[in-house]
Each structure stands twice: as structure tokens, then as C-alpha cells.
Amino acid sequence: MNYFDSENVNLKALKKKAYNFRWAEVPEGMIPLTAADPDYPCAPAVKKAMQDYIEDGYFSYTPKSGLEEFKSAFSDYVKTRKNEDIRKENVLPVDSAARAMYIIAKAFLKPGDEMIVFDPCDFLFRESCLAAGAVPVYYPAKLDTENRKMDLSKLEDYITDKTKMLGLCNPHNPYGLVYTKEDLDHIMCICEKHDILIMNDEIWSDIVYPDAAFHSIYCLGNDRCRRVLSVFGYSKSFGLAGLRIGCVYASDKTMFEQVVAASDVMTTAGGAASISQVAAVAAMNDAREWLDDFIKHLTDNRDFAVNYINQNIPGLIAYKPEATYLLYVNIKKLGMSAADFVEYLKGNSNLAIIPGGHQFFGKQSEGYVRICIATSREILEEALKRLKEGVELLASGEKKGTDI
């Protein structure tokens, strides 16, 4: 069965359930290629596991530190998929990867500390830092477009005696890049030299294309990674955003214990819902083939979308991602801000995408937009057609809808 045929996108369900800039929040007739959340239903194995769990009608408390099945499944999953040696005792399920980032910041940052936050990068690094009362220091992570690499040559210049943590998004959102072993060693050497912790977000590590290879920072060895606190989640690869399920993990027992203390799970104020953990276990154990098929579908979508934009829409440059199902598109030749361009498309092309700029990614992303391609080919083709028509309309100086 092909789970990723166009007919398997249930728009009726999405328009009732898909929030966060998506189908349930846009006007009828608008296509949202916005938040990183797939338009497809979850894997059948996940759905069945949840149905089986609720059959007896019991929703009792879970163990404070999470289900043993979750921790065992995670340890096996990351070993098999990413060659990470993580003991199950050092895995803590929590209510989303975003929560895991906040827990790490709370555990290790105090007011006045500084955290290196790459710009551009997902805004949750910044927000988790601020929530802990610390100060984000933005490293302008410029993209070497010719070699498709991030320029890390000036990273050490942004370290001060107040720097306590560095945020690592691997694979990187929004660039769609995977780090090389040399990049990771460079970052680790700086952190070792200055005794800096690493908040390591690997939520996108499942979505890596066949023409790229993912290297976790744990490829440097668990001994060197004692300073690494890691985050994973199930919203991107398995479509479980609404279940609020993720985890935080580490290779160092003492560091992990500090995470547990900051998580509030021992008082039952924190933690992950039982049924959400059950769903994640099924995803890790029984939906790997489904995930591989999803990546094949995304690969076709990526190649089609990048080629379409670069060949058919003058003024736009789409970079081919090595990972994630997000396109990072340069719109600087249009001569307008990303936010204004996005509003123009909404008003004139019935298309919603995400603008670059401080709100989502940082100031260095101004002049770019991000487009999610985790949808059917039919919807993607129509959305790109609307993007093309919107750019053509803009070039003609006309407007169909509201002014910007």
C-alpha cells in the first residue's frame, strides 16, 4: 500500500485539527505550506497501538520517569538508526521536544548566563534561553551557498566568560543542512576549550535524504559528549505533534540527573502522557518501514519543488535541502521583506508560507521564506503554481486582494 498517495490526505480532518498556521487556521481555499507538520495521517501501527491501549478504558499514572518500554525502544532506535549509544536509564520522555529544550535551559542556565544561538535557527533555542533568564548571543551562521555548508569560522569569537551553553540544531532548520564530522569536531573543540554545554536538537535526524549522510555529535564518542544534552521528538517524522511527545537524553548520568530534577516529573507536574508514550513506542518499533516510504515520497517532492522554483520562478532561489522537509528560498531579488511577501501571497494567491526574520529564525533569515513540502504531490504542485502566479502578479504591479 502506498500511504503517500494524494487521496490519503484527508483535508476534512486537517481543516478541523491542523492548527499552528495550518489548515484549521487559514481561510477556506488557502493552501498552507507553513508549520513543519505532515499532511498525512500517522502510520497505521501507531494508530493501532493507541486503539489497543484504550480498549480497557484505563488511563492510570505512568512511572514518574516514563514507561520502560519507551526508554528501551528509544535506546534501540537511536542505536539502529543513528549509531548512538544511549543507555535507556538516561532517557526521559516529556511533553514535546520543545519542552525538552526548556528543561535543559532551566537545568543548566541561570540569569546572566549567555547561550550561543545560531542565526538563523529555530526560534525555540532563543526562547528556551530567555525562559531561563539567560541571554542569547546570536552567531551569524552564514550559508556558503556554493558548497552548501555553514560558515563556522568565526564561532569562537562569540564566546565570553559568561557563555555557558551552545545550541546545536542538527540537521539544521531552516537551512536543511547536515553537519559534517569535521564541523561537529570543530564545535566540540570550542566547547571543550571554554567548558561550554551543548543543547543538541536532533528532531530532524530521521528526515535525511539519500544523497546525504547524518552524523550525530555522538559520533565523536560518548566520553567527549558528556557535555551534550540532547532532544528528540516525534512530530516531524511521525506526525504526532498533537500528542505532545518528545524526550531528553544524555550519555552522562550526572548531567541526566540534573535534567530529571529540572523536569518536575518526580512531583508528577511534568512528564509525558501515557498514550503519547505508547504512540511513540509504536512509531519507533513498528513504523520504520513507513518512515522509509515517507522519505522516498519527500525525496520526490523535494526534487520536484526545487527544480520547479529554480526553473520557473525568476527572482527566487530554492536551496536543495539535505535533510528536513523544508525549503529555504531566497527572495531578495523581489525587493521586499519576507513578511510583506508572505502577506502578499496570502492576499493575492491563496498561499501561506513562513517568512524569514526575527520571529521564527533570526535576523539573518530576512530575505528568505520557508516552505513545507510534507504534503501530497497534487497539493504541492498547486501551491507552487500559486507561488509562481503570485510572483508574476507582483512583478506586474497588480494586486487581487488586500494591500500590504
Side-chain angles (χ1 to χ4, degrees):
M1 177 180 179
N2 186 350
Y3 297 111
F4 303 102
D5 286 339
S6 295
E7 57 265 26
N8 289 329
V9 173
N10 186 339
L11 288 178
K12 183 178 179 181
L14 288 167
K15 289 174 183 178
K16 290 174 59 178
K17 297 181 177 182
Y19 288 85
N20 194 23
F21 305 103
R22 292 192 0 95
W23 294 96
E25 290 187 357
V26 298
E28 185 65 33
M30 184 174 289
I31 297 177
L33 302 185
T34 48
D37 188 22
D39 281 345
Y40 288 97
C42 70
V46 175
K47 180 180 175 181
K48 184 178 186 303
M50 296 176 72
Q51 290 171 330
D52 291 346
Y53 181 78
I54 68 174
E55 181 64 29
D56 60 18
Y58 283 93
F59 297 93
S60 303
Y61 287 107
T62 65
K64 291 182 175 66
S65 63
L67 296 174
E68 286 300 312
E69 303 96 301
F70 181 102
K71 293 183 277 188
S72 295
F74 182 83
S75 179
D76 176 74
Y77 185 77
V78 297
K79 177 62 177 178
T80 303
R81 304 285 292 198
K82 301 189 286 183
N83 199 31
E84 297 179 14
D85 287 313
I86 303 297
R87 297 172 66 243
K88 67 179 183 178
E89 292 81 7
N90 291 353
V91 178
L92 180 70
V94 293
D95 58 328
S96 77
R99 178 68 65 197
M101 296 172 77
Y102 276 64
I103 290 169
I104 292 170
K106 176 185 175 183
F108 297 101
L109 295 176
K110 63 181 185 299
D113 287 346
E114 293 178 354
M115 175 177 173
I116 300 296
V117 175
F118 285 16
D119 180 4
C121 199
D122 186 279
F123 72 99
L124 287 168
F125 285 93
R126 175 188 74 216
E127 294 302 316
S128 61
C129 171
L130 290 171
V135 179
V137 174
Y138 301 107
Y139 174 67
K142 297 179 180 178
L143 180 65
D144 179 346
T145 56
E146 183 175 342
N147 297 308
R148 294 294 290 134
K149 283 175 62 70
M150 187 186 297
D151 184 357
L152 300 172
S153 61
K154 305 295 184 183
L155 180 59
E156 192 171 8
D157 295 347
Y158 287 76
I159 306 295
T160 74
D161 58 1
K162 295 182 180 180
T163 307
K164 296 295 185 282
M165 186 174 288
L166 176 146
L168 177 65
C169 185
N170 183 26
H172 184 273
N173 170 20
Y175 283 165
L177 293 179
V178 292
Y179 289 84
T180 65
K181 291 181 180 180
E182 292 73 22
D183 289 337
L184 295 169
D185 181 69
H186 177 70
I187 291 169
M188 180 62 83
C189 285
I190 291 173
C191 291
E192 289 171 333
K193 178 179 177 180
H194 298 278
D195 193 20
I196 297 168
L197 301 176
I198 298 173
M199 179 190 291
N200 174 48
D201 176 8
E202 293 191 5
I203 195 169
W204 283 108
S205 57
D206 274 338
I207 309 296
V208 178
Y209 293 103
D211 49 13
F214 173 73
H215 299 290
S216 168
I217 196 165
Y218 291 99
C219 76
L220 302 177
N222 279 1
D223 285 344
R224 293 186 73 188
C225 288
R226 289 174 179 171
R227 65 184 63 251
V228 177
L229 295 311
S230 295
V231 169
F232 188 72
Y234 302 85
S235 58
K236 312 310 178 190
S237 45
F238 294 107
L240 306 184
L243 292 179
R244 306 294 297 168
I245 180 63
C247 66
V248 56
Y249 61 103
S251 60
D252 183 83
K253 183 176 184 293
T254 301
M255 298 286 279
F256 181 73
E257 288 173 349
Q258 289 181 250
V259 167
V260 173
S263 69
D264 299 319
V265 297
M266 302 312 292
T267 66
T268 71
S274 56
I275 196 167
S276 299
Q277 294 184 59
V278 167
V281 170
M284 291 184 285
N285 287 346
D286 304 319
R288 300 185 191 188
E289 184 176 342
W290 179 94
L291 175 59
D292 291 339
D293 288 343
F294 186 31
I295 293 172
K296 291 177 184 176
H297 172 74
L298 292 171
T299 303
D300 290 340
N301 272 7
R302 176 198 67 166
D303 295 345
F304 170 77
V306 169
N307 290 336
Y308 184 94
I309 291 172
N310 291 337
Q311 294 175 11
N312 296 286
I313 311 181
L316 270 57
I317 303 172
Y319 299 117
K320 191 174 187 177
E322 298 172 317
T324 82
Y325 42 70
L326 309 166
L327 300 190
Y328 194 58
V329 181
N330 185 327
I331 64 162
K332 291 182 179 180
K333 291 183 179 180
L334 299 182
M336 65 194 308
S337 73
D340 283 349
F341 179 60
V342 166
E343 289 304 311
Y344 185 91
L345 290 177
K346 289 179 183 177
N348 294 275
S349 298
N350 260 349
L351 175 65
I353 56 178
I354 295 294
H358 175 76
Q359 180 181 0
F360 294 109
F361 311 114
K363 293 181 180 178
Q364 295 291 326
S365 63
E366 180 54 68
Y368 297 84
V369 294
R370 197 192 73 176
I371 299 174
C372 178
I373 60 170
T375 188
S376 69
R377 174 59 66 85
E378 181 181 27
I379 291 173
L380 181 60
E381 288 182 0
E382 175 59 26
L384 294 177
K385 177 184 175 184
R386 294 184 188 189
L387 178 63
K388 178 177 184 289
E389 292 172 349
V391 171
E392 291 172 346
L393 195 66
L394 180 65
S396 73
E398 298 180 17
K399 295 185 179 70
K400 291 181 181 178
T402 57
D403 290 339
I404 57 174

